Amino acid sequence: MPHKIGFVVVSSSGHEDGFSARELMIHAPTVSGWRSPRFCQFPQELVLQMVERCRVRKLQLLAHQYMIPSRVEFYISESLPEYFSPYQAERFRRLGYVSLCDNEMTGCKARELKSVYVDAVGQFLKLIFHENHANKYNVYNQVALVAINIIGDPADLSDESNIASREKLIDHYLGHNTEDPALEGTCTGKSDYISPLDDLAFDMYQDPEVAQIIRKLDERKREAVQKERYDYAKKLKQAVADLQKVGERLGRFEVEKRCAVEKEDYDLAKEKKQQMERYRGRAYARLQLHGLLDAALVRRPLGLPLQPLVPPGSPRHQPATLSPPPQEEGVTENRFAEPLLQDKLSSHSLDTSQQPPVDQSLPATHPHLKTHLQSLPYDERPLPAVHKQPGAAAVEPEDGDRDMSEAPRGATAGEPERLTEKALREASSAVDVLGEALVAGAYSKTWSYREDALLTLYKRLVETPVGTPKEDLKSALRASIFLIRRAIRDIVTPVFQASLKLLKMVITQYIPKHKLSKLDTTYCVERTVPVLLTRTGDSSARLRIVASNFIQEIALFKDVKSLQMIPSYLVQPLKANASTHLALSQMDLLARLLKDLGTDDTGFTVDNVMKFSVGALEHRVYEVRETAVRIILDMYKQHRALTLDYLPPDDSSTRKNVLYKTIFEGFAKLDGRPTEAEIRAQKKAAAEEAEKRKKDEIKALQGQLAALKETQAEGQEKESEATKAKDPDAQGRKAAPPSAPEALDTHCLDNLCIFCGERSDSFTEEGLDLHYWKHCLMLTRCDHCRQVVEIASLTEHLLTECDKKDGFGKCYRCNEAVLKEELPKHIKTRDCNPAKPEKLANRCPLCHENFTPGEEAWKAHLMGAAGCTMNLRRTHVLHKPAVPPPGKGPAMSKSGTSGAKVGSKIPTPKGGLSRSSGRTYTKR
């Protein structure tokens, strides 16, 4: 199984003073690592020699936060090359390279851990560092490496290593698999499994001493599994998990102590040292309490360097020999290991300075203590109190240490300690009402006394008779709220839960039972809910959920609901320095209560909810912004028009923001309108269909023109033959006109409007422009860009081509273009005539009516007598006098034909010119 490989630094191309490459041989939270010289030449080089010839499986690099090389190359060799005789020694073999991030996204405040999986055999490893990433912090253009970790297997050096030992052969024939997942203590059991304890992140964030204990306990766990002592293995597994938390915290303390020393703040350094000793002692005492810690795990020379741990299955595993510890360390260990236990049967207590040490085996065999500890969740079991040395300075522990040091219920006898002068002044009003004994229990340093005090108060309030005077009831209520408010801040879970139980009883039973006024309910809510809201940002997920659910529960209680107070707390703007958990809990609680309560006389209004949600869209945490979007969509379901007043206009610039784009697309889905992506897809499909239809029309017109040319040619031939038959001499006197079909084609297309089919001698190039501009019944002028467009494509022009197209939106019901500022009102009133599918009916953008589908129907609708009433050009033409053109009669109608119509949706009638061609010569 691959494991951590020890190494030494053979050579380096240089280093800055105080940051030698030998720092890389130590893995601890306080190591500084290696740094290159200032303004060095690149590349820089490091050569490492592993303790033995190994098969390297994994390499890990921990980069500096701002002295970051752009690339690191890896080389491996069986032996160290001699550069002066390159042909007689082996060269390094290149494995590859890794690129490191420039760390700009984190502001150069994080360190990158890069892991590389390889498979190479050798004993020497060379690292080449290329030029650094430039940033404002790295003023000397240096590169650095905080730590490096090598994981692999020892390589077989001789044939003897390939011969199985006697034990392995016996196991083989007995059917025992040494890589059984149950025996390995892992869920994989694979030969290439890498233990998390060998990972670089484990050593770099763990206290070195605790890390060694964890490895020893993990080794014992594997042995226990092999011997099928599963209960013991379970204890060891939980102890390892708890010690990892202890080691990380001790590592942070060590870093803080080192920073204080660098700043020459020796008082803070001393305080951190004492804090580490207390915390370490309690952790070790807890392990001894369960019989998991002995002197072999803790006692080691403080100056002993951290050696790589070789698993017992390795062929090079040797039992570690520890030198006897110094005498001074025994004193320290006794201070750590001696718990303060008092005999419950004793009639008097001994002074702590005169109490003899208690046998360390006593706590593990105490039946009452063991039973009570097992009844609690593992992460909530308190550790025994640390025995103070005589003459030691009394240091007030921190809140986090205080609760870990409290003795469990039943471990100490007698009453809780008396109130201090400060506590007595603070709780004087509660003492007058509830008595000093109960308040002393609530202020006790022992969590079990605090819990018992709250449960006693719960029982006393429940048993209060109905006829009690109102003043006494109110005084008891205020004193209880004082203690509840203090207990809500308690970090011990049983105490916190007892305070919630008491508060719920006060609001739901005590006040209604004794018919107290709304002012008392208001007092309870305003004194406790703000504190409860702060607990929704707790680091413990379970406490956050409990606090949020409790707030939601009491908010729905009828007496609290009528006060409308809790919603007002939830819509307070999020503070910039608030924790992520607090912001997420507030947003989630707001979303849940908004669904339960609504906005009708509940404290939630469209104004305060929308202002809060729009402000939350700017929060730094993605989950908060996502919840704000969900709240805005929920508000839009209930108040569509009012919600839009708090948002920016829906235009292209606003939609550049991803959140607002998501919001407006959500609005479209709620309204049943197509989203922007769907509109683009529809436009693309419509454009493709229009292009196809245009090509078909052009092809049909070209066919008609070819047929017309052929018919005209046949008529010309017949006419020439008849002329020859009547006057044979005419052929000699008169020559036939050349290129008759071409002349006819030019004649047919001249003086013709390709849209309405009208023909006139006045339709020259300028005359046709005038006709298109003023008189063509199939065309109209856009009121916004003054372009002449077909009436059939007016809607498409306004949405896609017009200069003011950004100001228009498409109604999903009538499919027409409407000004965006009028679109919400247009949709809300529902006055428009719904459009039918294009295959079933055409839609006129002038009169907003549906009529017969097909392209021929457009001419009948726009030019017919009973057609569109909103076509102003049509009404003008109907009043024009119809004067038949002189000299043009049926012959003209016969020879007339439809012209080619390019880019128009209105085809020319197949039967020749339209009936309106009789008035093409009328001029004004």
Side-chain angles (χ1 to χ4, degrees):
M1 188 173 69
H3 58 85
K4 201 168 189 176
I5 304 296
F7 62 88
V8 294
V9 178
V10 177
S11 65
S12 66
S13 54
H15 62 84
E16 186 181 356
D17 293 342
F19 298 95
S20 171
R22 297 186 181 276
E23 286 278 331
L24 298 175
M25 298 163 56
I26 303 173
H27 293 167
T30 56
V31 297
S32 303
W34 166 80
R35 289 186 189 178
S36 68
R38 298 181 177 182
F39 300 112
C40 61
Q41 297 292 327
F42 289 101
Q44 291 286 301
E45 183 178 306
L46 288 177
V47 179
L48 312 178
Q49 179 181 1
M50 290 171 276
V51 294
E52 54 189 339
R53 181 173 176 269
C54 299
R55 179 179 295 275
V56 180
R57 299 299 183 90
K58 184 178 180 181
L59 297 172
Q60 291 183 298
L61 302 178
L62 184 60
H64 196 268
Q65 58 266 30
Y66 58 86
M67 299 181 186
I68 309 169
S70 59
R71 189 171 65 175
V72 182
E73 294 187 52
F74 300 96
Y75 294 81
I76 197 167
S77 175
E78 295 280 355
S79 60
L80 191 64
E82 298 179 9
Y83 295 98
F84 296 102
S85 55
Y87 298 102
Q88 298 178 5
E90 182 185 353
R91 295 178 179 272
F92 276 100
R93 179 166 58 91
R94 187 174 186 270
L95 299 178
Y97 73 92
V98 293
S99 299
L100 298 177
C101 177
D102 58 7
N103 216 4
E104 288 184 357
M105 295 186 64
T106 64
C108 297
K109 295 181 180 178
R111 298 187 297 191
E112 181 180 7
L113 176 61
K114 181 74 75 171
S115 299
V116 185
Y117 290 89
V118 296
D119 189 2
V121 178
Q123 191 172 2
F124 291 89
L125 184 68
K126 180 167 71 173
L127 285 77
I128 295 182
F129 299 86
H130 289 267
E131 196 168 331
N132 63 290
H133 286 294
N135 56 65
K136 62 180 180 180
Y137 303 103
N138 193 1
V139 294
Y140 301 114
N141 293 332
Q142 296 172 273
V143 293
L145 185 65
V146 179
I148 180 172
N149 190 28
I150 305 174
I151 296 176
D153 295 315
D156 296 331
L157 300 178
S158 63
D159 295 337
E160 296 179 358
S161 301
N162 297 326
I163 301 175
S165 64
R166 179 180 302 175
E167 291 79 4
K168 290 185 178 181
L169 287 174
I170 294 174
D171 290 339
H172 174 71
Y173 286 109
L174 290 178
H176 294 168
N177 184 9
T178 57
E179 295 182 357
D180 189 355
L183 299 180
E184 287 296 329
T186 67
C187 59
T188 60
K190 297 181 180 179
S191 59
D192 58 349
Y193 171 74
I194 299 175
S195 172
L197 303 182
D198 290 333
D199 196 271
L200 182 59
F202 175 77
D203 279 327
M204 294 305 295
Y205 297 102
Q206 286 284 338
D207 178 74
E209 182 177 324
V210 176
Q212 293 286 51
I213 295 175
I214 290 175
R215 288 192 173 98
K216 291 290 186 181
L217 292 179
D218 188 69
E219 183 179 338
R220 289 185 180 181
K221 182 188 70 174
R222 289 198 298 269
E223 294 175 356
V225 172
Q226 289 178 350
K227 296 177 182 179
E228 297 187 354
R229 299 176 59 193
Y230 298 121
D231 291 337
Y232 185 55
K234 182 180 179 182
K235 285 184 178 181
L236 289 170
K237 176 185 175 183
Q238 186 61 51
V240 167
D242 291 346
L243 276 177
Q244 285 182 351
K245 299 178 182 178
V246 172
E248 290 178 4
R249 189 167 182 181
L250 288 173
R252 289 197 299 270
F253 286 158
E254 182 66 31
V255 172
E256 292 171 0
K257 184 183 74 173
R258 181 71 60 88
C259 293
V261 171
E262 291 178 357
K263 296 177 182 178
E264 298 186 355
D265 189 353
Y266 300 118
D267 292 335
L268 179 60
K270 180 181 177 181
E271 180 183 349
K272 290 297 177 183
K273 178 183 177 182
Q274 294 174 349
Q275 196 173 3
M276 288 175 64
E277 290 177 352
R278 292 195 304 269
Y279 192 65
R280 192 190 303 272
R282 280 191 294 275
Y284 290 169
R286 184 173 181 175
L287 289 178
Q288 286 181 337
L289 187 65
H290 295 279
L292 302 178
L293 188 69
D294 54 21
L297 291 179
V298 182
R299 294 181 180 178
R300 65 172 180 82
L302 296 179
L304 184 66
L306 292 179
Q307 298 295 335
L309 183 65
V310 181
S314 173
R316 283 159 182 76
H317 172 69
Q318 297 177 356
T321 58
L322 299 177
S323 58
Q327 271 187 333
E328 292 80 359
E329 192 173 346
V331 179
T332 306
E333 187 176 343
N334 285 336
R335 189 192 334 148
F336 291 161
E338 288 176 355
L340 177 61
L341 296 177
Q342 295 180 354
D343 190 0
K344 297 179 70 173
L345 301 177
S346 176
S347 59
H348 63 278
S349 60
L350 299 175
D351 187 88
T352 54
S353 61
Q354 300 175 356
Q355 181 179 354
V358 184
D359 187 10
Q360 295 180 0
S361 63
L362 179 61
T365 58
H366 198 293
H368 178 75
L369 177 61
K370 184 174 181 180
T371 303
H372 180 70
L373 286 174
Q374 291 179 351
S375 64
L376 292 174
Y378 198 90
D379 56 347
E380 295 176 11
R381 296 180 190 175
L383 296 177
V386 178
H387 181 65
K388 296 183 179 179
Q389 290 294 318
V395 181
E396 184 70 20
E398 297 180 353
D399 291 341
D401 298 335
R402 180 185 305 161
D403 290 285
M404 294 187 63
S405 65
E406 291 166 357
R409 188 183 306 176
T412 57
E415 297 297 328
E417 59 272 19
R418 296 178 62 84
L419 292 172
T420 63
E421 291 293 333
K422 179 182 177 182
L424 197 58
R425 289 194 302 270
E426 179 183 334
S428 59
S429 59
V431 170
D432 295 340
V433 178
L434 303 176
E436 185 175 353
L438 193 146
V439 177
Y443 271 77
S444 174
K445 295 181 180 179
T446 305
W447 68 269
S448 58
Y449 288 141
R450 299 199 298 270
E451 183 185 10
D452 289 340
L454 295 176
L455 296 179
T456 302
L457 180 58
Y458 179 95
K459 185 177 180 181
R460 182 186 298 185
L461 293 180
V462 168
E463 295 175 353
T464 303
V466 177
T468 306
K470 295 287 184 181
E471 292 300 325
D472 296 343
L473 293 173
K474 292 182 179 181
S475 300
L477 174 68
R478 280 162 171 73
S480 302
I481 293 299
F482 174 80
L483 296 183
I484 290 172
R485 180 183 170 89
R486 175 182 173 82
I488 288 175
R489 298 191 181 98
D490 205 303
I491 65 173
V492 179
T493 303
V495 180
F496 176 69
Q497 292 177 340
S499 67
L500 298 186
K501 179 181 177 182
L502 178 58
L503 177 60
K504 182 179 179 181
M505 186 274 299
V506 169
I507 294 177
T508 61
Q509 298 179 27
Y510 184 81
I511 294 177
K513 175 183 177 182
H514 299 285
K515 299 180 181 180
L516 298 180
S517 63
K518 276 190 176 183
L519 294 176
D520 299 306
T521 307
T522 303
Y523 179 81
C524 295
V525 173
E526 70 181 4
R527 295 292 294 170
T528 57
V529 170
V531 187
L532 269 174
L533 283 174
T534 60
R535 293 310 303 270
T536 59
D538 198 274
S539 58
S540 171
R542 182 171 57 183
L543 290 182
R544 293 198 302 269
I545 294 173
V546 170
S548 298
N549 292 340
F550 183 81
I551 293 175
Q552 183 181 9
E553 182 181 358
I554 64 170
L556 299 177
F557 185 65
K558 60 179 182 178
D559 291 342
V560 179
K561 181 180 178 180
S562 62
L563 298 176
Q564 303 180 10
M565 294 181 64
I566 295 181
S568 64
Y569 291 127
L570 295 179
V571 294
Q572 296 296 323
L574 296 174
K575 296 181 180 179
N577 57 351
S579 68
T580 302
H581 293 315
L582 182 60
L584 283 174
S585 299
Q586 184 175 347
M587 294 295 298
D588 181 66
L589 193 54
L590 173 62
R592 286 189 288 167
L593 279 180
L594 195 59
K595 290 182 179 180
D596 294 337
L597 299 177
T599 56
D600 297 333
D601 196 23
T602 60
F604 288 127
T605 63
V606 178
D607 181 70
N608 58 24
V609 173
M610 285 302 300
K611 286 182 178 179
F612 172 81
S613 303
V614 172
L617 291 176
E618 307 297 331
H619 200 271
R620 67 182 188 278
V621 181
Y622 169 74
E623 290 81 0
V624 174
R625 301 194 298 269
E626 192 177 38
T627 309
V629 171
R630 191 169 72 247
I631 292 174
I632 292 175
L633 293 179
D634 290 340
M635 292 297 297
Y636 186 77
K637 291 179 184 178
Q638 305 175 21
H639 312 280
R640 297 177 185 262
L642 295 177
T643 303
L644 295 175
D645 295 340
Y646 297 89
L647 297 173
D650 183 9
D651 51 24
S652 57
S653 61
T654 305
R655 282 182 176 262
K656 291 180 181 179
N657 188 318
V658 179
L659 291 176
Y660 284 115
K661 182 179 179 181
T662 305
I663 291 171
F664 288 123
E665 288 186 352
F667 290 170
K669 290 181 180 179
L670 293 176
D671 293 336
R673 294 182 284 115
T675 61
E676 188 176 358
E678 294 172 349
I679 291 175
R680 284 198 300 268
Q682 291 176 0
K683 288 182 179 179
K684 183 178 179 182
E688 292 176 354
E689 183 66 23
E691 186 68 22
K692 182 180 178 182
R693 191 163 51 243
K694 179 179 177 182
K695 291 180 180 179
D696 293 341
E697 291 175 0
I698 293 174
K699 187 176 180 181
L701 290 174
Q702 289 174 348
Q704 293 176 11
L705 183 58
L708 178 63
K709 290 179 180 180
E710 184 179 352
T711 305
Q712 196 69 24
E714 291 176 358
Q716 186 70 23
E717 289 178 1
K718 290 180 182 180
E719 186 178 350
S720 61
E721 290 175 359
T723 305
K724 288 179 182 180
K726 291 181 180 180
D727 191 3
D729 299 333
Q731 188 174 2
R733 298 190 303 265
K734 188 177 180 181
S739 62
E742 287 79 359
L744 179 61
D745 181 25
T746 305
H747 174 70
C748 292
L749 295 178
D750 287 343
N751 311 119
L752 177 68
C753 175
I754 62 175
F755 297 103
C756 65
E758 183 177 349
R759 185 184 293 277
S760 174
D761 290 339
S762 63
F763 285 177
T764 61
E765 186 175 352
E766 295 180 357
L768 277 175
D769 289 342
L770 182 62
H771 173 75
Y772 295 155
W773 184 253
K774 290 187 176 181
H775 305 299
C776 184
L777 302 181
M778 305 300 293
L779 305 178
T780 186
R781 271 182 290 177
C782 176
D783 294 335
H784 301 278
C785 66
R786 309 305 296 170
Q787 291 185 13
V788 176
V789 296
E790 287 187 68
I791 296 175
S793 61
L794 178 60
T795 299
E796 184 179 357
H797 166 77
L798 291 175
L799 292 174
T800 60
E801 300 173 355
C802 184
D803 295 341
K804 302 297 180 62
K805 61 183 178 182
D806 291 338
F808 285 91
K810 187 175 182 180
C811 174
Y812 69 92
R813 192 164 48 245
C814 64
N815 290 339
E816 293 189 21
V818 184
L819 290 173
K820 285 188 177 179
E821 56 264 22
E822 300 177 1
L823 185 58
K825 182 179 179 182
H826 174 83
I827 294 174
K828 187 175 180 180
T829 54
R830 297 178 177 269
D831 291 338
C832 58
N833 184 21
K836 295 181 180 180
E838 189 174 356
K839 294 182 179 180
L840 300 180
N842 289 329
R843 177 78 177 190
C844 179
L846 300 180
C847 62
H848 315 297
E849 295 294 337
N850 301 317
F851 55 91
T852 310
E855 298 176 350
E856 293 292 344
W858 275 104
K859 182 169 286 189
H861 176 73
L862 294 173
M863 299 178 61
C868 180
T869 59
M870 301 302 295
N871 190 352
L872 300 180
R873 295 187 179 188
R874 171 182 167 276
T875 56
H876 174 71
V877 171
L878 288 178
H879 291 87
K880 290 171 64 177
V883 181
K888 303 290 182 180
M892 188 63 189
S893 297
K894 286 182 181 179
S895 61
T897 182
S898 61
K901 185 180 62 161
V902 180
S904 172
K905 290 186 177 180
I906 314 303
T908 305
K910 296 179 180 179
L913 293 177
S914 66
R915 289 173 294 178
S916 62
S917 62
R919 52 178 190 270
T920 55
Y921 294 96
T922 303
K923 296 183 179 180
R924 292 190 178 183

